[in-house]
Amino acid sequence: SALSIPYGWAIILITILLKIIFWPLTGISTRSAKRMADMAPQLKALQEKYKDDPQKLPAKQWEFYRENKINPMSGCLPMLVQLPVFFGLFSMLRTAIELRGAHFLWTADLSKADTLFMIPGLSFIPFISTPEGLPFNLLPILYIATALWQTHITPMSPGMDPAQQKMMRWMPLMFLVILYNFSGGLALYMTVNNLLTILQTRITKSAAAAPPAATPVTASVLTPASKKKK
């Protein structure tokens, strides 16, 4: 029909619509992660102070969270709400027969990997190579690039040591082999979703960069009781 939308653009529009619907939840998660990152020095000092008392440390951490109005779970719950939708779209786009033969930009068939050309002599790479060589699939590469960008602008949990943080920031590279031969439609959705998440993260960070009135961080749990009472 004359009013029909090409499948590639339909995937992009659906992704944008879902991002708008879940925008408030994702914003909560981003603000929570930034708030936790801002508290990292105080939390580290608290952990250092009670490192020899592992039974008392959790109670002091929760006291610190309560006094500073921090909910450590507020960053995870919005993501859990979105997971069913993500997995539903993931399953649908991976197997949708309607995408067969659908063109989008350089992708000749959205139901298959968007191979632009073959790189000869690289047929030895497991899982992603073919006897003819290594297919150059652009969309999965773009997806991994946006995933790396996203991990580098997302605040890490203050409880992670530097080695764990480094591993988390580069973890998307581990999924390249798994995702490399995904269908073009699925790779398109995941890439656009990442770009929209990056945009929202930057907008949320910019909005929180200059608060009208900064509330001083409560650090009473770091002050010995003898100094509190005079």
Short mmCIF file of all heavy atoms in Angstrom, two decimals, residues 176-216:
data_model
loop_
_atom_site.label_atom_id
_atom_site.label_comp_id
_atom_site.label_asym_id
_atom_site.label_seq_id
_atom_site.Cartn_x
_atom_site.Cartn_y
_atom_site.Cartn_z
N LEU A 176 30.81 -9.49 20.56
CA LEU A 176 30.89 -9.28 19.12
C LEU A 176 30.76 -10.60 18.35
O LEU A 176 30.04 -10.66 17.34
CB LEU A 176 32.21 -8.60 18.76
CG LEU A 176 32.42 -8.28 17.27
CD1 LEU A 176 31.30 -7.39 16.75
CD2 LEU A 176 33.77 -7.62 17.04
N VAL A 177 31.41 -11.64 18.83
CA VAL A 177 31.33 -12.93 18.15
C VAL A 177 29.91 -13.48 18.18
O VAL A 177 29.41 -14.02 17.19
CB VAL A 177 32.32 -13.93 18.80
CG1 VAL A 177 32.13 -15.33 18.21
CG2 VAL A 177 33.76 -13.48 18.59
N ILE A 178 29.23 -13.30 19.32
CA ILE A 178 27.87 -13.83 19.47
C ILE A 178 26.90 -13.09 18.56
O ILE A 178 26.00 -13.69 17.95
CB ILE A 178 27.42 -13.74 20.93
CG1 ILE A 178 28.36 -14.53 21.83
CG2 ILE A 178 25.98 -14.22 21.10
CD1 ILE A 178 28.09 -14.36 23.31
N LEU A 179 27.04 -11.78 18.47
CA LEU A 179 26.08 -10.94 17.76
C LEU A 179 26.43 -10.70 16.30
O LEU A 179 25.63 -10.12 15.57
CB LEU A 179 25.96 -9.58 18.47
CG LEU A 179 25.66 -9.60 19.97
CD1 LEU A 179 25.70 -8.18 20.53
CD2 LEU A 179 24.30 -10.22 20.24
N TYR A 180 27.61 -11.13 15.88
CA TYR A 180 28.12 -10.71 14.57
C TYR A 180 27.24 -11.14 13.41
O TYR A 180 27.12 -10.42 12.42
CB TYR A 180 29.54 -11.24 14.38
CG TYR A 180 30.28 -10.56 13.24
CD1 TYR A 180 30.67 -9.23 13.35
CD2 TYR A 180 30.56 -11.23 12.06
CE1 TYR A 180 31.33 -8.59 12.32
CE2 TYR A 180 31.23 -10.60 11.02
CZ TYR A 180 31.61 -9.29 11.16
OH TYR A 180 32.26 -8.65 10.13
N ASN A 181 26.64 -12.30 13.52
CA ASN A 181 25.81 -12.80 12.41
C ASN A 181 24.31 -12.67 12.68
O ASN A 181 23.51 -13.38 12.06
CB ASN A 181 26.18 -14.26 12.11
CG ASN A 181 27.53 -14.37 11.43
OD1 ASN A 181 27.84 -13.62 10.51
ND2 ASN A 181 28.36 -15.29 11.89
N PHE A 182 23.94 -11.80 13.62
CA PHE A 182 22.52 -11.55 13.87
C PHE A 182 21.89 -10.92 12.63
O PHE A 182 22.56 -10.33 11.80
CB PHE A 182 22.34 -10.61 15.05
CG PHE A 182 22.27 -11.32 16.38
CD1 PHE A 182 22.63 -12.64 16.51
CD2 PHE A 182 21.84 -10.65 17.51
CE1 PHE A 182 22.57 -13.29 17.72
CE2 PHE A 182 21.78 -11.29 18.74
CZ PHE A 182 22.14 -12.61 18.85
N SER A 183 20.58 -11.03 12.54
CA SER A 183 19.86 -10.45 11.40
C SER A 183 20.00 -8.93 11.41
O SER A 183 20.17 -8.30 12.46
CB SER A 183 18.38 -10.82 11.46
OG SER A 183 17.73 -10.16 12.54
N GLY A 184 19.93 -8.33 10.21
CA GLY A 184 20.06 -6.89 10.09
C GLY A 184 18.98 -6.15 10.86
O GLY A 184 19.24 -5.09 11.44
N GLY A 185 17.76 -6.68 10.88
CA GLY A 185 16.67 -6.03 11.60
C GLY A 185 16.93 -5.96 13.09
O GLY A 185 16.69 -4.93 13.74
N LEU A 186 17.43 -7.06 13.66
CA LEU A 186 17.73 -7.09 15.08
C LEU A 186 18.91 -6.18 15.41
O LEU A 186 18.87 -5.42 16.40
CB LEU A 186 18.03 -8.52 15.52
CG LEU A 186 18.31 -8.75 17.00
CD1 LEU A 186 17.17 -8.23 17.86
CD2 LEU A 186 18.56 -10.23 17.27
N ALA A 187 19.95 -6.23 14.59
CA ALA A 187 21.11 -5.36 14.83
C ALA A 187 20.73 -3.89 14.69
O ALA A 187 21.25 -3.03 15.43
CB ALA A 187 22.23 -5.71 13.85
N LEU A 188 19.82 -3.57 13.77
CA LEU A 188 19.36 -2.19 13.60
C LEU A 188 18.64 -1.72 14.86
O LEU A 188 18.90 -0.61 15.36
CB LEU A 188 18.44 -2.10 12.39
CG LEU A 188 17.76 -0.75 12.13
CD1 LEU A 188 18.81 0.33 11.83
CD2 LEU A 188 16.75 -0.86 10.99
N TYR A 189 17.73 -2.54 15.38
CA TYR A 189 17.01 -2.17 16.60
C TYR A 189 17.97 -1.93 17.76
O TYR A 189 17.87 -0.93 18.48
CB TYR A 189 16.01 -3.27 16.96
CG TYR A 189 15.61 -3.25 18.41
CD1 TYR A 189 14.83 -2.22 18.94
CD2 TYR A 189 16.02 -4.26 19.29
CE1 TYR A 189 14.47 -2.19 20.28
CE2 TYR A 189 15.68 -4.24 20.62
CZ TYR A 189 14.90 -3.21 21.11
OH TYR A 189 14.57 -3.18 22.44
N MET A 190 18.92 -2.84 17.97
CA MET A 190 19.84 -2.73 19.10
C MET A 190 20.74 -1.50 18.97
O MET A 190 21.05 -0.83 19.96
CB MET A 190 20.66 -4.01 19.22
CG MET A 190 19.80 -5.24 19.52
SD MET A 190 20.69 -6.81 19.37
CE MET A 190 21.75 -6.74 20.81
N THR A 191 21.15 -1.19 17.74
CA THR A 191 22.00 -0.02 17.53
C THR A 191 21.25 1.28 17.78
O THR A 191 21.74 2.18 18.48
CB THR A 191 22.56 -0.02 16.09
OG1 THR A 191 23.28 -1.23 15.87
CG2 THR A 191 23.49 1.16 15.87
N VAL A 192 20.04 1.39 17.24
CA VAL A 192 19.24 2.61 17.44
C VAL A 192 18.89 2.77 18.92
O VAL A 192 18.93 3.88 19.47
CB VAL A 192 17.96 2.56 16.59
CG1 VAL A 192 17.04 3.73 16.92
CG2 VAL A 192 18.31 2.58 15.10
N ASN A 193 18.57 1.66 19.58
CA ASN A 193 18.25 1.72 21.01
C ASN A 193 19.45 2.24 21.81
O ASN A 193 19.29 3.05 22.73
CB ASN A 193 17.84 0.33 21.51
CG ASN A 193 17.38 0.35 22.95
OD1 ASN A 193 16.36 0.95 23.29
ND2 ASN A 193 18.13 -0.29 23.83
N ASN A 194 20.65 1.79 21.47
CA ASN A 194 21.85 2.27 22.15
C ASN A 194 22.06 3.76 21.93
O ASN A 194 22.40 4.50 22.86
CB ASN A 194 23.08 1.50 21.67
CG ASN A 194 23.32 0.23 22.46
OD1 ASN A 194 22.57 -0.10 23.37
ND2 ASN A 194 24.36 -0.49 22.11
N LEU A 195 21.88 4.21 20.69
CA LEU A 195 22.07 5.63 20.38
C LEU A 195 21.08 6.50 21.16
O LEU A 195 21.44 7.56 21.67
CB LEU A 195 21.92 5.86 18.88
CG LEU A 195 23.05 5.33 18.00
CD1 LEU A 195 22.69 5.45 16.53
CD2 LEU A 195 24.35 6.10 18.29
N LEU A 196 19.83 6.05 21.26
CA LEU A 196 18.83 6.80 22.01
C LEU A 196 19.15 6.80 23.51
O LEU A 196 18.94 7.81 24.19
CB LEU A 196 17.44 6.20 21.78
CG LEU A 196 16.89 6.35 20.35
CD1 LEU A 196 15.58 5.58 20.21
CD2 LEU A 196 16.68 7.82 20.01
N THR A 197 19.67 5.69 24.02
CA THR A 197 20.06 5.62 25.43
C THR A 197 21.22 6.56 25.72
O THR A 197 21.26 7.23 26.75
CB THR A 197 20.43 4.18 25.82
OG1 THR A 197 19.33 3.31 25.55
CG2 THR A 197 20.79 4.08 27.30
N ILE A 198 22.18 6.62 24.80
CA ILE A 198 23.31 7.55 24.94
C ILE A 198 22.80 8.99 24.95
O ILE A 198 23.24 9.82 25.77
CB ILE A 198 24.32 7.33 23.81
CG1 ILE A 198 25.04 5.98 23.99
CG2 ILE A 198 25.33 8.47 23.75
CD1 ILE A 198 25.84 5.55 22.78
N LEU A 199 21.87 9.31 24.04
CA LEU A 199 21.30 10.66 23.99
C LEU A 199 20.61 11.00 25.31
O LEU A 199 20.81 12.09 25.87
CB LEU A 199 20.30 10.75 22.83
CG LEU A 199 19.50 12.06 22.73
CD1 LEU A 199 20.44 13.24 22.48
CD2 LEU A 199 18.46 11.96 21.63
N GLN A 200 19.83 10.06 25.84
CA GLN A 200 19.14 10.32 27.10
C GLN A 200 20.12 10.48 28.26
O GLN A 200 19.94 11.33 29.13
CB GLN A 200 18.16 9.19 27.41
CG GLN A 200 17.39 9.44 28.72
CD GLN A 200 16.35 8.40 28.98
OE1 GLN A 200 16.35 7.35 28.35
NE2 GLN A 200 15.47 8.65 29.92
N THR A 201 21.17 9.66 28.27
CA THR A 201 22.17 9.77 29.33
C THR A 201 22.81 11.15 29.33
O THR A 201 23.00 11.77 30.39
CB THR A 201 23.26 8.69 29.16
OG1 THR A 201 22.65 7.39 29.21
CG2 THR A 201 24.31 8.79 30.26
N ARG A 202 23.15 11.64 28.14
CA ARG A 202 23.77 12.96 28.04
C ARG A 202 22.80 14.07 28.47
O ARG A 202 23.18 15.03 29.14
CB ARG A 202 24.27 13.21 26.62
CG ARG A 202 25.49 12.35 26.26
CD ARG A 202 26.16 12.86 25.00
NE ARG A 202 27.44 12.21 24.77
CZ ARG A 202 28.58 12.58 25.32
NH1 ARG A 202 28.60 13.60 26.16
NH2 ARG A 202 29.71 11.94 25.06
N ILE A 203 21.53 13.94 28.07
CA ILE A 203 20.53 14.95 28.46
C ILE A 203 20.34 14.93 29.97
O ILE A 203 20.28 15.98 30.62
CB ILE A 203 19.20 14.68 27.73
CG1 ILE A 203 19.35 14.96 26.23
CG2 ILE A 203 18.09 15.55 28.32
CD1 ILE A 203 18.12 14.60 25.42
N THR A 204 20.24 13.73 30.56
CA THR A 204 20.03 13.61 32.00
C THR A 204 21.22 14.16 32.77
O THR A 204 21.07 14.86 33.77
CB THR A 204 19.81 12.13 32.39
OG1 THR A 204 18.70 11.61 31.64
CG2 THR A 204 19.51 12.00 33.87
N LYS A 205 22.44 13.87 32.29
CA LYS A 205 23.63 14.39 32.96
C LYS A 205 23.70 15.90 32.87
O LYS A 205 24.07 16.58 33.83
CB LYS A 205 24.89 13.77 32.34
CG LYS A 205 25.17 12.35 32.80
CD LYS A 205 26.49 11.89 32.23
CE LYS A 205 26.88 10.53 32.77
NZ LYS A 205 28.21 10.08 32.26
N SER A 206 23.33 16.45 31.70
CA SER A 206 23.37 17.90 31.53
C SER A 206 22.36 18.59 32.44
O SER A 206 22.64 19.64 33.01
CB SER A 206 23.08 18.27 30.07
OG SER A 206 24.07 17.73 29.21
N ALA A 207 21.17 17.97 32.59
CA ALA A 207 20.15 18.55 33.44
C ALA A 207 20.55 18.52 34.91
O ALA A 207 20.17 19.40 35.69
CB ALA A 207 18.83 17.80 33.26
N ALA A 208 21.35 17.51 35.29
CA ALA A 208 21.76 17.39 36.69
C ALA A 208 23.10 18.04 36.97
O ALA A 208 23.57 18.05 38.11
CB ALA A 208 21.83 15.91 37.07
N ALA A 209 23.73 18.61 35.93
CA ALA A 209 25.08 19.16 36.11
C ALA A 209 25.08 20.42 36.97
O ALA A 209 26.02 20.66 37.72
CB ALA A 209 25.70 19.47 34.75
N ALA A 210 24.02 21.23 36.86
CA ALA A 210 23.97 22.47 37.62
C ALA A 210 22.67 22.56 38.39
O ALA A 210 21.74 23.25 38.00
CB ALA A 210 24.11 23.67 36.67
N PRO A 211 22.53 21.84 39.50
CA PRO A 211 21.30 21.89 40.30
C PRO A 211 21.11 23.27 40.92
O PRO A 211 22.09 23.96 41.23
CB PRO A 211 21.53 20.83 41.38
CG PRO A 211 23.00 20.69 41.47
CD PRO A 211 23.53 20.96 40.09
N PRO A 212 19.87 23.70 41.13
CA PRO A 212 19.62 25.03 41.66
C PRO A 212 20.19 25.23 43.05
O PRO A 212 20.63 26.30 43.41
CB PRO A 212 18.09 25.15 41.65
CG PRO A 212 17.60 23.72 41.59
CD PRO A 212 18.63 22.97 40.83
N ALA A 213 20.16 24.20 43.86
CA ALA A 213 20.67 24.33 45.22
C ALA A 213 21.27 23.00 45.62
O ALA A 213 20.55 22.02 45.81
CB ALA A 213 19.55 24.73 46.17
N ALA A 214 22.57 22.98 45.75
CA ALA A 214 23.24 21.73 46.10
C ALA A 214 23.00 21.40 47.55
O ALA A 214 23.19 22.22 48.44
CB ALA A 214 24.74 21.86 45.83
N THR A 215 22.55 20.17 47.79
CA THR A 215 22.32 19.70 49.15
C THR A 215 23.59 19.07 49.68
O THR A 215 24.13 18.16 49.04
CB THR A 215 21.18 18.66 49.18
OG1 THR A 215 20.02 19.25 48.62
CG2 THR A 215 20.90 18.22 50.61
N PRO A 216 24.10 19.55 50.81
CA PRO A 216 25.34 18.97 51.32
C PRO A 216 25.17 17.52 51.67
O PRO A 216 24.13 17.09 52.16
CB PRO A 216 25.63 19.82 52.58
CG PRO A 216 24.30 20.39 52.96
CD PRO A 216 23.55 20.59 51.69
#
